[in-house]
Amino acid sequence: MTKGSRPTIDEYFLKIASVVAERSTCLRHHIGAVAVRDKHILSTGYNGAASGLKDCLELGCLRDELNIESGTRHEICRAIHAEQNVIIQAALHGITLAGATVYCTHSPCILCAKMLVNSKIKRFVTCSSYADDAFKELFEEAGIEFEMIERPPASISQLP
């Protein structure tokens, strides 16, 4: 995006996903996701502990304490991933994600990829890679379009 120009739709929704990520309670990665259909936001999600439970900001990171590398041993983490939360929030509000695009600040882990396949999304757009790329083969088999674009600028441009 050049100065004075308008962000593309993909840049726009990835910027929104970045703002959503600010709510994360993970000490390792702040990840945000936005599910969109027909340029309309369906749901948002960020990574953090289950609602109402103590999180890593309060308790510290169990994965760091145990020296677990990123992309492995997901069951040790207290957090629900941003992609999982975007699916859960849609379900809680009776919204289908079928045919939607999910914009996420990172590519998905294999567990999230399986859930996204079952939620029937058609497209996944990100600007950063997660430690695990096993999702690519699964997305290809399921017919989910995957796009990696350049990270949009964090600044907000407004005309005077």
Side-chain angles (χ1 to χ4, degrees), residues 12-22 31-34 45 103-105:
Y12 172 71
F13 285 118
L14 269 178
K15 283 179 108 166
I16 292 171
S18 294
V19 172
V20 171
E22 291 181 345
I31 301 174
V34 179
Y103 293 89
C104 190
T105 56

Side-chain angles (χ1 to χ4, degrees), residues 3 8 14 28 32 36 73 86 89 102 131 133:
K3 186 174 180 172
T8 67
L14 269 178
R28 283 186 170 195
V36 175
R73 303 290 315 272
V86 86
Q89 288 303 309
V102 170
D133 70 352

Side-chain angles (χ1 to χ4, degrees), residues 67-78:
N67 293 315
I68 297 170
E69 80 179 79
S70 187
T72 64
R73 303 290 315 272
H74 300 282
E75 75 280 5
I76 302 296
C77 185
R78 289 181 186 95

Side-chain angles (χ1 to χ4, degrees), residues 20-146:
V20 171
E22 291 181 345
R23 291 282 302 151
S24 171
T25 59
C26 178
L27 295 173
R28 283 186 170 195
H29 302 286
H30 284 201
I31 301 174
V34 179
V36 175
R37 189 173 43 248
D38 301 325
K39 300 180 185 178
H40 177 78
I41 295 174
L42 304 172
S43 66
T44 65
Y46 53 87
N47 57 325
S51 183
L53 301 183
K54 292 181 181 179
D55 58 45
C56 295
L57 297 177
E58 186 176 348
L59 298 173
C61 178
L62 185 57
R63 293 172 61 82
D64 280 347
E65 291 169 20
L66 298 174
N67 293 315
I68 297 170
E69 80 179 79
S70 187
T72 64
R73 303 290 315 272
H74 300 282
E75 75 280 5
I76 302 296
C77 185
R78 289 181 186 95
I80 298 167
H81 289 187
E83 303 94 323
Q84 294 167 352
N85 272 324
V86 86
I87 293 167
I88 292 165
Q89 288 303 309
L92 285 172
H93 297 284
I95 299 168
T96 180
L97 296 185
T101 297
V102 170
Y103 293 89
C104 190
T105 56
H106 286 71
S107 58
C109 72
I110 190 66
L111 297 173
C112 288
K114 290 175 187 179
M115 292 178 193
L116 291 164
V117 166
N118 268 10
S119 69
K120 307 287 187 213
I121 69 163
K122 71 172 183 179
R123 190 167 171 250
F124 189 97
V125 180
T126 189
C127 56
S128 185
S129 293
Y130 184 62
D132 176 12
D133 70 352
F135 74 92
K136 287 182 179 178
E137 188 176 317
L138 186 69
F139 274 13
E140 187 175 320
E141 184 180 345
I144 295 173
E145 182 183 343
F146 173 75

